[in-house]
Amino acid sequence: MTDNATQSTDFPVFTGQVFRPGEPGYEAEIAGFQTAYTHRPALVVVAAHAEDVRAAVEYAARRGLPVAVQATGHGLSVAAEGGVLISTARMTGIRIDSEARTARVAAGVRAGALVEAAAEFGLAPLNGSSPSVGVVGYTLGGGLGLLAREFGYAADHVRMVELVTADGRMRTLHPGDELFGAVLGSGGNFGVVTALEIDLVPVRTVYGGQLVFDTPLAVAAVEAWRQWTATVPDQLTSTVATLTYPDIPQVPEGLRGRYVASIRIAFDGPAAEGERLVAPLRAPGARLRDDLRELPYTESHTIHNDPDHPHAYAATNAVLGELTEEALAALTAATGPGGAIDAVVDIRHLGGALAEPGSGGVAVDRREAAYVVRVITMPAPDEGAAVPDEHGAVRKVLAPWTIGHSLAFLYGAGDGADDAQTRAGYAPDTYAKLAALKAKYDPHNMFRFNRNIRPSA
């Protein structure tokens, strides 16, 4: 750890720790959930509070250094080489206002901590499937949550943004402010968010869990789900994931080499009504797993059972205007039994409140989309940030039905940095507006380790 006192006189005095390459603690501090690649900054500032963030940005601005930000490392798309990394992981303050149904969360708060804090008041945030994801990063990416069809994107439920911009200035943004909507949906392109004030919803329990089908029934189960999604109310949000388990000792013997489909359900309503709604999904036949039940919202993370350990992964996606029988058949032929592409496929049903126009100019487009198809691969240790060929192959298969991409689900340094895919995440006029604001507030592209919006000329 670098001692602040040993630095030049214009080096800021931080409350949090500071690390440089080679110093004890540096490697531990840059490590995140993504292990395929990582930031390698010239300086790590471990922010204890918002003033540390502001001072770090101001320091970088004076020297013309780029700035990266990391709370958990889940959404890392472009790894920094040099520059300054601001770690916000220690900024974990949460303040609940039960009467206003809001929460003020600092930059390092994780979803699981917020779920637990809100539950004490019979409330819930609009969180996603993983409890270890950072609330701020998730929300800045739009926030496609467990109950998204009922409540919409998490970004639409933000009341205040506390932001440090490239000039080292702390700003407090509210709906109607020029930068407010631009920040929400564009990742970290406009600065470092130190806190958000967000809405909570009065949800104590959900009906949910998984229906898992083995190889003989998996394809039919996914097609049944596709047809069923046209019939469900907005209070029901669902996804389906398919994969072929590798034939390795770490996998239970009965699953090795098997192609399975997992349908995940989250319904904000009575369990009896949930049972009635999901009955058609059980029609294909026996399940490997069927744990649908009413559960406290504090257990909602068990619906998806996302991996909770750091690992290497890469992902691409296609936002679809519709998921026709032909589209699903083409996807299954490529990624299902006997297909050439070995990947986890995760299809999320959109619509409902997600189709409503965003408030406050929030930069989340493609709201007319009906589904988003995510394709997740696990790169080998020697592949690092290289983008697997399978990603392009899947996008080609789905091209006839694709209307854009979700920037929140692009992982893999090359893929995430691709300008064409970034632009495809927005309507053309939205991107032009964001590029103009980028030129105004970050003309030197200090904040570029992301799905980057380049400043307009």
Side-chain angles (χ1 to χ4, degrees):
M1 180 183 71
T2 297
D3 184 350
N4 283 320
T6 69
Q7 304 301 313
S8 60
T9 56
D10 65 342
F11 190 81
V13 176
F14 297 106
T15 303
Q17 295 175 307
V18 177
F19 297 95
R20 295 185 186 276
E23 295 180 343
Y26 174 87
E27 294 295 333
E29 201 59 49
I30 64 174
F33 194 80
Q34 169 67 272
T35 63
Y37 47 97
T38 187
H39 293 302
R40 307 296 306 183
L43 179 70
V44 181
V45 176
V46 182
H49 45 59
E51 176 55 26
D52 279 346
V53 174
R54 193 206 62 75
V57 172
E58 184 179 61
Y59 170 81
R62 288 200 306 268
R63 286 160 176 74
L65 301 174
V67 172
V69 185
Q70 180 165 287
T72 68
H74 276 78
L76 178 59
S77 58
V78 179
E81 289 291 338
V84 177
L85 172 65
I86 301 174
S87 171
T88 60
R90 309 301 197 283
M91 298 172 62
T92 56
I94 300 173
R95 185 169 69 240
I96 306 292
D97 185 333
S98 59
E99 292 188 6
R101 292 181 181 171
T102 62
R104 187 186 190 280
V105 294
V109 172
R110 296 179 181 235
L114 179 57
V115 168
E116 292 286 346
E120 295 183 18
F121 302 93
L123 301 170
L126 300 178
N127 59 290
S129 56
S130 172
S132 63
V133 165
V135 173
V136 167
Y138 160 82
T139 306
L140 298 187
L144 184 61
L146 290 173
L147 297 174
R149 282 176 37 82
E150 180 177 8
F151 296 107
Y153 290 99
D156 290 334
H157 294 268
V158 176
R159 299 193 182 191
M160 181 277 294
V161 178
E162 202 175 79
L163 177 75
V164 178
T165 45
D167 55 3
R169 176 181 168 187
M170 177 69 72
R171 302 170 189 263
T172 301
L173 308 176
H174 296 93
D177 292 339
E178 184 176 53
L179 269 180
F180 180 83
V183 169
L184 299 169
S186 63
N189 268 280
F190 291 96
V192 186
V193 171
T194 58
L196 295 175
E197 183 180 308
I198 58 177
D199 289 331
L200 303 173
V201 294
V203 174
R204 294 177 179 271
T205 63
V206 291
Y207 171 83
Q210 295 189 23
L211 301 173
V212 182
F213 295 86
D214 199 2
T215 304
L217 301 175
V219 173
V222 177
E223 171 59 22
W225 174 82
R226 183 191 71 83
Q227 297 181 30
W228 171 82
T229 55
T231 70
V232 299
D234 294 352
Q235 290 78 16
L236 199 157
T237 301
S238 65
T239 69
V240 64
T242 62
L243 77 155
T244 299
Y245 280 103
D247 188 4
I248 58 176
Q250 291 87 341
V251 174
E253 187 173 355
L255 290 176
R256 295 174 192 172
R258 307 293 290 181
Y259 176 76
V260 301
S262 173
I263 301 172
R264 290 81 65 96
I265 301 294
F267 173 59
D268 181 20
E273 178 64 5
E275 283 287 310
R276 185 190 69 79
L277 287 168
V278 303
L281 296 178
R282 292 187 169 113
R287 280 81 62 195
L288 286 173
R289 175 179 174 181
D290 184 341
D291 63 2
L292 297 181
R293 67 210 186 277
E294 184 177 72
L295 63 160
Y297 198 79
T298 51
E299 297 178 13
S300 60
H301 62 279
T302 64
I303 293 173
H304 282 244
N305 274 329
D306 286 353
D308 61 359
H309 57 280
H311 61 281
Y313 52 96
T316 190
N317 68 80
V319 174
L320 308 184
E322 57 180 342
L323 181 63
T324 64
E325 183 177 0
E326 294 75 16
L328 182 57
L331 179 63
T332 302
T335 63
I341 300 172
D342 182 18
V344 177
V345 176
D346 176 45
I347 311 175
R348 303 197 170 201
H349 184 208
L350 306 179
L354 294 167
E356 298 176 3
S359 59
V362 169
V364 179
D365 286 341
R366 310 304 182 196
R367 293 180 184 247
E368 72 276 24
Y371 301 86
V372 58
V373 178
R374 304 172 62 207
V375 177
I376 305 164
T377 54
M378 308 299 171
D382 59 345
E383 290 180 335
V387 178
D389 293 339
E390 293 92 335
H391 289 193
V394 171
R395 290 197 298 270
K396 184 176 180 180
V397 166
L398 293 174
W401 302 277
T402 299
I403 62 173
H405 296 287
S406 170
L407 302 182
F409 296 138
L410 289 175
Y411 307 124
D415 238 359
D418 183 77
D419 185 61
Q421 285 196 82
T422 299
R423 289 174 179 270
Y426 304 101
D429 59 339
T430 301
Y431 187 88
K433 177 182 177 181
L434 293 174
L437 288 171
K438 183 77 168 177
K440 179 177 178 179
Y441 289 98
D442 186 14
H444 302 297
N445 208 6
M446 173 187 285
F447 304 108
R448 57 180 178 265
F449 301 114
N450 46 42
R451 294 85 167 166
N452 193 229
I453 298 165
R454 299 173 185 174
S456 58

